[in-house]
Amino acid sequence: MDSFNEIWELVQQELQNSVTEVAYKVWLQPLEFVSFKNDTIYLSINEFKKGIVIDKFVKTINNTLESIFGFHVNVEIVCTDVQR
């Protein structure tokens, strides 16, 4: 799994160059790699940020992953916190 963490670090570096510093620090830097299964990468973030990341940044994440992997990768954003 370390290799996927290393790939995620590379993705994070590319994302940092794709958006403003504020957008990266607020919305993309907090994303955490969970797993990569079949053709889907699972990333986690808190519930508050999930909707914004999906609406505003999933396309950028997809494009970055595709440029690194060389093929289309689906992105699934999951929550790190559970509302009670």
Side-chain angles (χ1 to χ4, degrees), residues 22-63:
V22 172
Y24 176 76
K25 286 184 177 182
V26 172
W27 304 107
L28 299 175
Q29 188 175 27
L31 286 167
E32 294 181 12
F33 172 79
V34 176
S35 65
F36 184 76
K37 296 178 184 169
N38 300 323
D39 62 347
T40 303
I41 189 168
Y42 294 87
L43 305 172
S44 67
I45 199 159
N46 68 45
E47 181 70 34
F48 174 75
K49 293 182 179 182
K50 179 181 175 183
I52 299 294
V53 170
I54 290 170
D55 290 343
K56 304 287 185 188
F57 298 106
V58 164
K59 186 174 182 176
T60 302
I61 296 167
N62 274 110
N63 291 340

Side-chain angles (χ1 to χ4, degrees), residues 12-24:
Q12 286 280 27
Q13 290 172 4
E14 291 297 318
L15 288 172
Q16 193 170 5
N17 294 326
S18 301
V19 298
T20 66
E21 182 179 355
V22 172
Y24 176 76

